Amino acid sequence: MLDNRTIEIVKSTIPLLEDAGVEVTDHFYKRMFSHNPELKDIFNLANQATGRQQFALFSAVAMYAKHIDDLGALGELVERVAHKHVSFDIQPDQYQIVGHHLIETLREMAPNEFSDEVAEAWVKAYGLLANVLIGREHEIYSDYQTKAGGWTGSRLFEVKDKTPESDLVTSFTFVPVDGGEIANYQPGQYLAVKVKPERAENVEIRQYSISDKFNGESYRISVKRESQPLAGLVSNHLHDAVQVGDHIELMPPTGDFFLAHLDKPTVLISAGVGITPMMAMLETLLASQTEQPIWFLHACDNKNQHTYGKQLKTKENQLDKLHYYYWYKQDDSDDEKALSGLLNLDRLQFELPLTDGHFYICGPVEFMRFIKQQLVDLNVAAEQIHYEVFGPHSDI
């Protein structure tokens, strides 16, 4: 535990952390990569370019400072970060590297506010946070070392199938090269793919949601081709260079966003490639033969980008308990059932299980904020709303 003086000092730096601008965050990453270039093989450099990683890191540190005297309030943040770190195979010694450069950056960029006394307090505070995360990550690593089909670090898989699902999304099915078992997962979790694209300077690791129920033999991810060169470095490599029969390294499935209430009415709400974890949830629910009703709500630009559209329509026609609605932003479809514009819940408010259902949301951050606000306005309880952010975490 931290002494009262240390807690007081750390809390006094909250404005500094919350107001850390691009200059401070850029300095931190340039400093760290200059001294420890090996970390470029772990950090997503595309997120560095957009500023999302910098924002996420300093926001998380500021959140920690706010709750330093009540770490129980950080449970969700710790769980999310720990799972993401496991997908990168983060090890305890790397915490010391990041912590050192974080503290030295603040000392260099804000010398008046970040005195030796403040730096000493943050060394203690960061050490406590690191121990909490290292402890949780150790539990996750241990689970995968002991569970059937589990592994830690990377494992070699073969691409068994590659299937276009829409204009932008292609599915990849992987089987283990060693012929052994594969680990079970919760529907909604993701796999980390470790590749070295031809035009990349470093190894790149990306997380992609598993898009099917567990079958004991293979994993399937469905990847959107990104248009921006840097942001799409790995997705374009997968689409263009990776073929059936190729070998690829995968980290074990992980993630804190997953289907947790099979015995309750379920509403799956997605936009774009956010549909991928929803497919794993839907297939799992159907395989469980649940008697609970299911709503599947999806939004995309147009019918050509409607991933899994045909499969979902077929399932709806076969199952009375599945209620499927979809919205096209570009109203150029001859599909009479397609709704136009934004995914608005008003027309469904008397149909949806607002009091006892669980709502799972995945898609662009602004879309999820839009949906969450609608759910809040409909008096859906916070504990009934679950969401997943692709990339660095962002609150909605």
Side-chain angles (χ1 to χ4, degrees):
M1 295 298 294
L2 301 175
D3 59 86
N4 291 335
R5 177 57 180 162
T6 297
I7 292 173
E8 178 185 351
I9 293 173
V10 168
K11 280 183 170 288
S12 73
T13 64
I14 292 173
L16 174 63
L17 294 167
E18 290 183 328
D19 296 337
V22 174
E23 184 180 1
V24 175
T25 57
D26 282 353
H27 181 85
F28 163 72
Y29 281 100
K30 288 176 181 176
R31 188 185 206 284
M32 183 173 66
F33 291 147
S34 173
H35 288 82
N36 298 92
E38 72 278 7
L39 294 183
K40 290 183 178 181
D41 287 337
I42 297 176
F43 283 82
N44 184 332
L45 299 185
N47 287 331
Q48 303 296 313
T50 64
R52 290 186 67 195
Q53 185 69 58
Q54 294 95 316
F55 174 80
L57 176 64
F58 276 78
S59 294
V61 173
M63 181 67 69
Y64 169 56
K66 287 181 179 179
H67 297 283
I68 194 169
D69 51 354
D70 181 21
L71 295 184
L74 296 175
E76 290 186 7
L77 177 64
V78 167
E79 194 69 6
R80 184 171 292 115
V81 171
H83 279 275
K84 186 60 70 72
H85 283 181
V86 167
S87 75
F88 283 107
D89 195 30
I90 297 295
Q91 298 300 314
D93 61 325
Q94 292 165 330
Y95 275 93
Q96 300 310 313
I97 296 172
V98 173
H100 168 74
H101 292 296
L102 176 65
I103 291 168
E104 291 305 308
T105 291
L106 293 171
R107 192 200 299 268
E108 293 164 0
M109 299 299 289
N112 294 331
E113 297 93 338
F114 216 77
S115 63
D116 288 343
E117 184 184 24
V118 174
E120 182 179 351
W122 260 106
V123 168
K124 296 178 183 178
Y126 181 85
L128 177 61
L129 174 62
N131 286 337
V132 170
L133 288 167
I134 290 170
R136 179 63 186 122
E137 289 157 23
H138 176 73
E139 292 175 350
I140 300 173
Y141 284 129
S142 297
D143 177 52
Y144 273 98
Q145 284 179 327
T146 57
K147 74 187 301 184
W151 74 97
T152 57
S154 63
R155 181 180 176 187
L156 203 60
F157 281 72
E158 179 181 325
V159 180
K160 181 182 179 182
D161 186 61
K162 180 179 179 181
T163 304
E165 305 288 1
S166 65
D167 276 3
L168 297 179
V169 175
T170 293
S171 289
F172 298 81
T173 300
F174 305 105
V175 294
V177 171
D178 60 24
E181 292 183 86
I182 61 171
N184 200 350
Y185 56 86
Q186 299 284 357
Q189 291 188 307
Y190 51 77
L191 282 174
V193 175
K194 184 178 181 181
V195 295
K196 177 68 166 61
E198 183 177 348
R199 58 190 181 89
E201 296 182 6
N202 303 96
V203 171
E204 301 286 344
I205 300 174
R206 297 291 188 277
Q207 292 79 18
Y208 296 104
S209 298
I210 302 172
S211 58
D212 200 0
K213 66 180 183 297
F214 181 68
N215 60 29
E217 298 178 354
S218 63
Y219 296 120
R220 186 183 76 180
I221 62 172
S222 301
V223 180
K224 176 187 175 185
R225 181 193 289 274
E226 298 291 346
S227 58
Q228 296 298 322
L230 189 56
L233 181 63
V234 174
S235 69
N236 283 286
H237 171 75
L238 292 172
H239 277 253
D240 297 334
V242 174
Q243 305 299 333
V244 172
D246 288 350
H247 290 178
I248 197 164
E249 292 181 77
L250 301 180
M251 306 297 191
T254 189
D256 70 317
F257 173 73
F258 51 82
L259 183 67
H261 304 277
L262 277 73
D263 59 340
K264 298 288 186 180
T266 301
V267 185
L268 308 173
I269 309 176
S270 60
V273 75
I275 197 172
T276 55
M278 303 308 180
M279 288 301 292
M281 293 184 185
L282 176 63
E283 295 289 2
T284 301
L285 284 166
L286 298 181
S288 74
Q289 299 184 331
T290 177
E291 296 299 323
Q292 296 293 336
I294 306 165
W295 284 262
F296 198 109
L297 316 181
H298 181 64
C300 58
D301 281 352
N302 53 60
K303 67 177 181 179
N304 294 326
Q305 294 183 22
H306 191 166
T307 304
Y308 307 120
K310 292 181 180 178
Q311 298 96 310
L312 287 163
K313 291 174 187 175
T314 299
K315 290 181 186 299
E316 183 194 28
N317 290 334
Q318 295 173 346
L319 299 164
D320 291 337
K321 64 185 173 185
L322 176 60
H323 310 279
Y324 177 42
Y325 297 90
Y326 48 96
W327 285 254
Y328 293 157
K329 187 175 181 181
Q330 299 168 6
D331 190 14
D332 57 356
S333 172
D334 56 2
D335 186 339
E336 295 181 356
K337 188 179 178 185
L339 302 170
S340 62
L342 302 179
L343 198 163
N344 195 305
L345 299 178
D346 281 350
R347 61 170 292 146
L348 303 178
Q349 62 177 301
F350 299 111
E351 175 183 338
L352 295 174
L354 303 178
T355 58
D356 61 342
H358 280 264
F359 295 76
Y360 297 84
I361 315 171
C362 191
V365 171
E366 289 305 318
F367 166 80
M368 293 194 294
R369 288 184 179 136
F370 174 63
I371 296 299
K372 181 182 178 182
Q373 186 57 57
Q374 292 185 66
L375 293 174
V376 169
D377 291 343
L378 292 171
N379 297 315
V380 176
E383 59 269 20
Q384 295 171 232
I385 303 173
H386 319 275
Y387 68 96
E388 169 79 315
V389 174
F390 293 150
H393 179 67
S394 177
D395 289 326
I396 68 168

